[in-house]
Structure formats: C-alpha cells, structure tokens
Amino acid sequence: MTDLHSKKSAMQEWGYVMNAKAGSSHSLGRNLFLSALAATKPSQADGAIDTWEGNVLPHGSIEELAPQLWHITGILPGVAPPREMVLYRLPDSTLLIHSAIALNETEMQKLEALGNPHILIVPNRIHRLDAAVYKQRYPQLTIVCPAAARPYVEEVVSVDGTAEEVLPAYGIECHRPAGIYEQELVYELSLLTGKALVFTDILFNLTQSYLQQNIPERSSMFGWLGGSDFFGITRFGRWFFLSDRHAYQQWLRSLADNIPNLCVICVAHGSPITKNCAERLRNAADRLR
C-alpha cells in the first residue's frame, strides 16, 4: 500500500511538473508571438518611420457609424489584415482615439474638424505603431492604455495613465475580459442612440465583402489562417489569447445580456457591426463550444 501510495504521489508530482512546463512553454510561445507582432514595422520608401509622413500607409476615409462615433480602415502590407481606428466624441466635444492610424493630411483635417484630439487609447502591446507620431503631432494628447500593456506601450511612447484610471471620468466603462490572458480591455461608450463596444484583438469580423473591398489581392489567405468570414475569436486568438474557453464564452454572453441598447460593435480588424449586436455577441460565444 505504501509503495502504491508513493507511486501515485510521484505520478501526481510528475503531472504537476509537466503541466507547469507546458504552461511555461505556452507562455513563452505567446510572449514571443506578441513581441514579434509588436516589433513589426512596415518598411517605408523614404526610411522616415519616426515622422508622420513616414507612418502614413494606405487607408480609407473616415466614416460615421453613429452620432459621436466614426471609424477608418487602414491597410498594412504583407500578411497583416486591415486595421481599424475608432474615433469617439467625448461629452466635452473633444476626441478619443482608439488604436491610432496616421492619416494623410486631407483625412487628418476631417478628423480635427470632428473635435480636438484629447485622449489616445493604445489598446495593447501590438497596436502601438502610430502612437508616438500622434504624440509628436499633438503634444497635449493624453496617452492611456490597459495596465497590463503599460510596460510594452512605454517602450515607444510615454503613458499618462492607465485606461482603468482615466476613462471612467469620461463616462467610459472598461470591461476586463474573462478567460483571456491579460492584455486588453473592452470599452463601453455611451451614444445618443444607445451603447457601443470597442474590442481589439479578441474578436475579429473579417467578412468576405470587407476583405474584397480593402485587400482583394490577399483576401483568400485569411481563410486558412482561421480568421475570415465570421465574427468571433480567430484560430490564432484561441492559441495565444484564450486562457479559459468557458469563462470567455460566458463573459461574451453577459455583455450581450446586460448592456441595453447595444447598437455598435467595433473591432480592430474587420467590419464594424451596427445591427443585431447582442445576437452577434451570442453567436460569437456559441462558436466557442
């Protein structure tokens, strides 16, 4: 009996060690993946990556999603999907910018006409490419990011405060996703017509029409990458962001059930959603079964 008990204990200890090693290996792989994405900078013909002009890449026009809320689509080279910047007019008529994209002067004039840029959210360690040039252009801009992302964001730009500390004073609720490794928040914005949610990388909406409109020559590649033609977390998101599938599923459902008049969902990669938003969140949760 003693030998059996000893063997069982040894097997349990071995299991703990192997699980710890597996978790450590996954954590290392995740950090390497995120670091590689964060370090990626598109090559510029003039080499002026630290200037505004050097950061301007192809992009669309500013489009209204609802009163107080706009988005614009930017195009990155290589295998990266299109990216989205969100603009939100705060109660004092200044602008909050989520996931900044450097625009040409024509579009920047349109942006400034919407309101004076006041707050820039750098949503995670990956979406920091244009943060520094925005701060250079607007020295009074308040730079915020999730607390978990602060050490990585401060590698490229000084952070004035965490989103959790700064944004509630402007009526913005910061939701911490359950079942996701700490990296980003989801922002609940008040609109005249209801509520909006702004996600970053934990939900994509790369519809075929969106891809065909923005990157027709590369639209087919996102199918095999597990990221196209559905609203939900991608295959890469499951590998590198998801820590507890059930917890994340329940959290998405709780957003759908508890946010009244949800009329817009924005994501950092993909088409904004302006119809049946609560149901679309429930569908994203169902995909996690």
Side-chain angles (χ1 to χ4, degrees):
M1 181 71 87
T2 303
D3 289 343
L4 180 61
H5 178 75
S6 298
K7 288 179 180 179
K8 186 175 180 180
S9 298
M11 289 174 65
Q12 288 176 335
E13 291 178 8
W14 175 251
Y16 297 150
V17 170
M18 293 305 294
N19 286 337
K21 286 184 177 180
S24 177
S25 177
H26 182 270
S27 178
L28 177 60
R30 177 176 173 274
N31 282 325
L32 289 173
F33 172 74
L34 295 177
S35 296
L37 290 179
T40 300
K41 290 186 177 181
S43 59
Q44 301 291 325
D46 59 6
I49 190 67
D50 294 325
T51 68
W52 186 271
E53 295 77 11
N55 277 56
V56 175
L57 294 165
H59 59 76
S61 300
I62 296 173
E63 298 179 356
E64 186 179 63
L65 294 170
Q68 306 165 260
L69 191 68
W70 301 263
H71 82 111
I72 189 164
T73 304
I75 309 302
L76 291 166
V79 298
R83 55 179 175 157
E84 294 287 320
M85 174 169 67
V86 174
L87 308 172
Y88 173 63
R89 184 180 287 142
L90 293 164
D92 63 2
S93 296
T94 61
L95 279 187
L96 177 144
I97 300 168
H98 178 272
S99 195
I101 297 176
L103 308 176
N104 61 37
E105 286 306 315
T106 298
E107 290 302 314
M108 287 307 298
Q109 289 175 16
K110 294 179 183 178
L111 183 152
E112 291 166 354
L114 299 175
N116 182 49
H118 178 43
I119 298 175
L120 170 59
I121 301 175
V122 185
N124 60 31
R125 64 198 283 185
I126 302 171
H127 288 261
R128 60 184 194 177
L129 178 63
D130 294 332
V133 294
Y134 262 82
K135 184 65 173 179
Q136 291 170 13
R137 184 175 180 121
Y138 305 106
Q140 301 306 311
L141 192 62
T142 299
I143 307 292
V144 304
C145 68
R150 186 167 190 162
Y152 308 101
V153 175
E154 288 193 323
E155 293 174 356
V156 299
V157 67
S158 178
V159 173
D160 297 298
T162 67
E164 297 93 326
E165 296 168 340
V166 174
L167 297 182
Y170 294 87
I172 298 169
E173 186 168 353
C174 301
H175 295 277
R176 186 183 304 280
I180 296 291
Y181 291 108
E182 277 195 288
Q183 62 169 25
E184 62 189 63
L185 303 169
V186 174
Y187 305 97
E188 181 181 334
L189 311 178
S190 294
L191 306 173
L192 295 175
T193 53
K195 296 283 189 174
L197 286 176
V198 182
F199 288 78
T200 307
D201 289 331
I202 59 175
L203 290 177
F204 275 35
N205 193 37
L206 296 176
T207 64
Q208 283 301 313
S209 60
Y210 177 87
L211 293 171
Q212 283 292 328
Q213 179 181 347
N214 292 293
I215 51 169
E217 73 286 354
R218 292 186 278 138
S219 62
S220 62
M221 74 169 58
F222 292 99
W224 65 266
L225 288 174
S228 71
D229 216 23
F230 66 88
F231 175 56
I233 191 167
T234 65
R235 185 178 300 149
F236 278 101
R238 287 173 181 255
W239 290 344
F240 295 108
F241 304 148
L242 191 63
S243 61
D244 186 323
R245 178 184 58 82
H246 180 71
Y248 184 48
Q249 183 182 56
Q250 294 302 113
W251 179 77
L252 289 174
R253 287 177 178 153
S254 73
L255 292 180
D257 293 341
N258 296 309
I259 297 178
N261 301 318
L262 180 59
C263 58
V264 181
I265 299 173
C266 296
V267 294
H269 302 287
S271 180
I273 295 170
T274 57
K275 295 180 180 179
N276 303 318
C277 293
E279 189 62 26
R280 296 296 301 276
L281 278 178
R282 294 186 186 100
N283 292 341
D286 288 343
R287 289 184 59 85
L288 289 161
R289 288 177 179 170

